[in-house]
Amino acid sequence: MARRERCSGCGINMLVSPEARVVRCSECHTLTNLVPMNARPGRTRYNGPPRMHENPYENGPSPQHPQYPQPRPSLSPVPIYGRKRALLCGVNYHGKSYKLKGSINDVKSMKYLLVETLGFPNDSILMLTENEREPSKIPTKQNIRKALKWLVYGCQPGDSLVFHFSGHGTRQKDYNHDEVDGFDEALCPLDHETEGNIIDDEINDTIVKPLTRGTTLHAIIDACYSGTVLDLPFVCRMNKEGRYMWEDQRNPLFYKRTSGGLAFCFSACDDHQTSADTTAFTGTNVRTGAMTYSFVQAIQNERRLTYGHLLNAMRYTIGDVSKAHGASQEPQLTSSDKFDIYSKPVVL
């Protein structure tokens, strides 16, 4: 006989079979571990959730990427309901031939924007840069991975999450064939030469898929080749006149949805373009990423910008700088859902 169980994500009641161990919510897609009826108090001993090699979807095929409860990350989340939380990573690659000079400046500018303009609590912002004293806050691959898990851990309705990365980006061959262009986009941590890059598949698995209903993530990625670095399914293609259309990059063989939440990504450029690290905006020797500068300035100048107006403002600001550098850099917007970009306001 079927029984009712409550979804651990959105809380709705679900009808499940008596022996079911795991069920996926049809509304928010959250996985809920269950105790079978014959394993409840006074009955046979419950042996725990299914092992990784077992298929919990006994009544149908499993999705491409089944989600299991994640262990609590070492960086404790901010215990505030409806909280704002941000992860800011700036990598200058000190001492390398490919070093940058503006990435840490970008992180400082973004933190100022979040705290002073957008009301983020100062202690809810985690910064990873080479200038940090704590070893756990140096932007190595391991530390960035841990911080990404911290960002989305325990996310609840009303949460506003921000991920900002300023540094090098790259492309590499797509080996699992989920990319339209045949390449995975990736971010380069400080130790990428020895530890490797963080590719878009992993970023999507870590901070996009766990987003529960009512949770919103905004990513601001100031790096080369970063157009689809979150692997979000919809790409906003905009022409010079500001007209746009959504390009659907969903692949039915790969599970790229959120768990009911919303994800948006502003990237410095398209997947085949590079981004500028420049002094053009400051009028001094202080370098900034063109994309981060244009994003911060647009938000500060007009608080109630829509996504379309923000994207246009960034492209207008960056246009002259790109021409001066002989480069082609057009900021991009990708999203977990399609919407009217000129009517929806940006709310961080």
Side-chain angles (χ1 to χ4, degrees):
M1 178 181 292
R3 69 181 193 274
R4 291 185 180 275
E5 294 286 351
R6 185 175 295 276
C7 171
S8 61
C10 63
I12 68 169
N13 287 320
M14 305 175 289
L15 284 176
V16 300
S17 65
E19 301 303 319
R21 291 183 175 183
V22 178
V23 64
R24 177 178 291 279
C25 176
S26 61
E27 293 294 322
C28 70
H29 308 292
T30 298
L31 284 181
T32 300
N33 287 307
L34 307 172
V35 178
M37 291 294 292
N38 62 6
R40 298 198 171 187
R43 305 207 175 181
T44 57
R45 181 173 177 270
Y46 177 46
N47 294 319
R51 297 176 182 175
M52 291 297 289
H53 65 272
E54 294 177 345
N55 181 8
Y57 301 88
E58 298 175 350
N59 297 321
S62 63
Q64 184 71 21
H65 299 287
Q67 298 292 295
Y68 291 88
Q70 297 296 314
R72 184 185 183 96
S74 57
L75 295 164
S76 296
V78 181
I80 304 173
Y81 178 78
R83 63 195 173 278
K84 295 186 174 186
R85 191 191 306 177
L87 167 61
L88 313 180
C89 299
V91 196
N92 275 355
Y93 312 94
H94 292 315
K96 302 294 184 180
S97 59
Y98 47 82
K99 67 181 178 182
L100 299 171
K101 296 183 178 180
S103 295
I104 296 178
N105 294 332
D106 289 342
V107 163
K108 293 177 180 178
S109 296
M110 186 61 66
K111 182 176 182 180
Y112 182 87
L113 174 74
L114 294 176
V115 173
E116 300 299 329
T117 303
L118 300 177
F120 277 64
N122 193 64
D123 59 1
S124 74
I125 297 176
L126 175 60
M127 292 177 60
L128 303 187
T129 75
E130 290 125 297
N131 290 352
E132 302 300 320
R133 294 183 178 180
E134 295 182 34
S136 63
K137 294 183 179 180
I138 303 298
T140 62
K141 184 175 183 177
Q142 180 182 18
N143 286 343
I144 294 176
R145 280 175 159 175
K146 288 181 179 179
L148 289 171
K149 292 177 181 177
W150 165 84
L151 180 65
V152 299
Y153 179 80
C155 57
Q156 303 176 41
D159 288 356
S160 176
L161 312 177
V162 172
F163 171 45
H164 173 240
F165 179 90
S166 181
H168 282 303
T170 189
R171 308 174 81 192
Q172 58 190 63
K173 187 176 179 180
D174 168 31
Y175 290 101
N176 65 348
H177 308 294
D178 68 325
E179 298 284 349
V180 174
D181 60 2
F183 290 93
D184 280 319
E185 286 66 48
L187 303 180
C188 302
L190 181 62
D191 55 353
H192 68 98
E193 290 181 334
T194 57
E195 300 302 316
N197 302 311
I198 303 176
I199 67 170
D200 48 12
D201 294 344
E202 178 180 350
I203 297 171
N204 184 279
D205 282 338
T206 307
I207 64 172
V208 174
K209 289 178 186 172
L211 295 173
T212 55
R213 184 177 296 275
T215 305
T216 303
L217 168 72
H218 285 90
I220 301 97
I221 310 297
D222 199 342
C224 298
Y225 314 113
S226 57
T228 61
V229 75
L230 259 65
D231 259 359
L232 298 177
F234 300 106
V235 180
C236 182
R237 298 300 186 190
M238 179 183 286
N239 64 18
K240 294 181 180 179
E241 289 73 40
R243 291 192 291 271
Y244 74 94
M245 62 176 291
W246 287 104
E247 180 178 288
D248 189 341
Q249 293 196 352
R250 287 178 294 180
N251 185 327
L253 298 178
F254 294 89
Y255 187 79
K256 296 287 185 178
R257 299 190 300 272
T258 68
S259 293
L262 296 174
F264 308 95
C265 181
F266 287 98
S267 301
C269 55
D270 209 341
D271 287 339
H272 63 280
Q273 296 177 333
T274 57
S275 58
D277 184 48
T278 179
T279 61
F281 298 114
T282 62
T284 66
N285 291 326
V286 177
R287 285 186 171 271
T288 63
M291 187 269 183
T292 299
Y293 179 90
S294 65
F295 180 89
V296 170
Q297 288 299 307
I299 296 292
Q300 287 181 333
N301 290 339
E302 187 176 346
R303 288 289 307 276
R304 297 296 292 176
L305 281 171
T306 65
Y307 286 86
H309 291 116
L310 175 55
L311 189 59
N312 273 313
M314 293 167 60
R315 289 188 168 200
Y316 179 81
T317 301
I318 290 176
D320 293 337
V321 174
S322 295
K323 292 177 182 177
H325 285 77
S328 175
Q329 178 181 353
E330 298 176 334
Q332 303 292 308
L333 170 65
T334 57
S335 173
S336 58
D337 294 89
K338 293 187 290 185
F339 60 95
D340 180 359
I341 66 173
Y342 289 113
S343 65
K344 185 178 180 66
V346 180
V347 181
L348 278 75

